[in-house]
Amino acid sequence: MVDRPMTLMAVHAHPDDEATGTGGVLARYAAEGIRTVLVTCTDGGCGDAPGGIKPGEPGHDPAAVAELRRGELEKSCQVLGVDALELLGYRDSGMMGWPQNDAPGSFWTTPVDEAAARLAELIRRYEPDVVVTYDENGFYGHPDHIQAHRITMAAVELTGTPAKVYWTTAPRSAMEEMFRVVKELGGDWDEPEEGAEMPEIGLPDEEISTWVDVTEFGPRKYEALAAHASQSENIFFLNMGVERFTELMGTETFLRVKDTTGAELPEKDLFAGLR
Ligand SMILES: [Zn+2]
């Protein structure tokens, strides 16, 4: 047991989320000799097909998109130094309100207990000290992100294994600048269905428990994002160029929701109190 490597597990919904949300910490902790495990819950089949073809449009084959995205995910993991990639293989549920939400085999329709049991098996195998996932709103309301949150919290409950559990978040103070940059670059922010309200994203700065400096790994994160070349949603981030990207994304922020170490808050390290 004592010989077990210190381990970080990140649980994400789709291929590319590992890069956007946690690319910095995955790269940083891998460089520090910590074992990193990525669990990706869905196949990403509701992403764009080559040529920017959207799901449901003629020429969009979800199975082909999933296969393409799997290759991109493997490349991203290589860039980030991820030691183990585990795929739960559920079907991408699409954005909230899409018919794919209720398609057979979609992650959204999978009972939480069933998927949580599979994740619990992985937690027992890798015994992560730290687990990272999304908040209860899946950060921005995507059904697969919400489901990833639910199964992670259920699996943590089932196993009791990780000493620390975190939800990714963003400081409200940075959101305005982020929206401005995205708009300036012509990006579209995965907005909810027309008429629906934009969910509140991120947290007031004073509520954020954990600020990890990943500036050094900005270029790595940028390259990992670039590996997901088929997904136009990422392109506006890449349009910033690596320098501005690193500047804007140089700190990854988290809310600590489980802790057995007693590490003082706010902290600058997901592994504070563990080493
Ligand atoms: Zn996603």
Side-chain angles (χ1 to χ4, degrees):
M1 287 292 287
V2 277
D3 291 336
R4 182 179 59 79
M6 190 85 85
T7 302
L8 168 66
M9 177 183 278
V11 183
H12 281 293
H14 309 102
D16 78 17
D17 293 320
E18 80 291 344
T20 351
T22 54
V25 290
L26 285 170
R28 177 181 154 172
Y29 289 115
E32 289 180 11
I34 286 171
R35 180 172 64 167
T36 55
V37 180
L38 170 64
V39 181
T40 301
C41 297
T42 80
D43 62 5
C46 288
D48 292 359
I53 300 171
K54 303 287 174 197
E57 288 178 0
H60 187 285
D61 172 9
V65 170
E67 198 185 316
L68 175 68
R69 297 193 71 185
R70 186 185 167 145
E72 292 174 344
L73 178 60
E74 282 165 2
K75 200 168 153 202
S76 166
C77 284
Q78 253 172 26
V79 171
L80 297 173
V82 169
D83 291 293
L85 168 63
E86 296 286 350
L87 304 169
L88 296 188
Y90 293 106
R91 286 173 69 179
D92 190 337
S93 313
M95 298 296 284
M96 196 63 95
W98 287 14
Q100 288 92 337
N101 291 178
D102 304 316
S106 83
F107 190 34
W108 185 238
T109 56
T110 301
V112 170
D113 290 355
E114 190 185 307
R118 292 184 59 204
L119 181 58
E121 222 177 278
L122 293 174
I123 290 179
R124 290 191 188 103
R125 188 191 313 163
Y126 290 105
E127 299 184 73
D129 304 276
V130 173
V131 168
V132 176
T133 190
Y134 315 106
D135 61 26
E136 60 271 77
N137 187 40
F139 188 61
Y140 71 104
H142 191 298
D144 289 328
H145 289 234
I146 294 171
Q147 189 76 332
H149 163 85
R150 290 178 180 163
I151 74 157
T152 304
M153 298 317 286
V156 164
E157 190 69 32
L158 277 171
T159 59
T161 302
K164 302 177 93 177
V165 176
Y166 293 92
W167 298 344
T168 53
T169 189
R172 289 266 161 81
S173 62
M175 292 314 291
E176 209 172 305
E177 166 78 351
M178 187 73 91
F179 280 117
R180 204 183 56 72
V181 169
V182 167
K183 230 175 155 184
E184 175 196 318
L185 296 169
D188 117 51
W189 186 266
D190 275 349
E191 278 177 72
E193 291 292 288
E194 224 167 296
E197 253 184 54
M198 190 73 180
E200 278 226 316
I201 287 178
L203 285 174
D205 294 24
E206 64 276 13
E207 288 177 28
I208 292 175
S209 63
T210 311
W211 305 70
V212 185
D213 182 4
V214 294
T215 312
E216 194 189 333
F217 299 94
R220 203 88 58 87
K221 183 172 173 171
Y222 185 84
E223 200 191 322
L225 206 52
H228 296 282
S230 68
Q231 300 312 299
S232 60
E233 62 178 332
N234 295 327
I235 289 173
F236 59 81
F237 280 127
L238 297 171
N239 285 348
M240 282 180 210
V242 65
E243 257 170 60
R244 192 151 176 221
F245 177 86
T246 299
E247 208 177 288
L248 202 66
M249 308 277 192
T251 305
E252 289 181 353
T253 49
F254 302 87
L255 181 65
R256 192 172 87 186
V257 292
K258 181 191 171 186
D259 173 63
T260 61
T261 70
E264 217 175 293
L265 294 182
E267 54 184 9
K268 293 177 172 173
D269 177 10
L270 299 178
F271 288 83
L274 285 164
R275 54 177 178 170

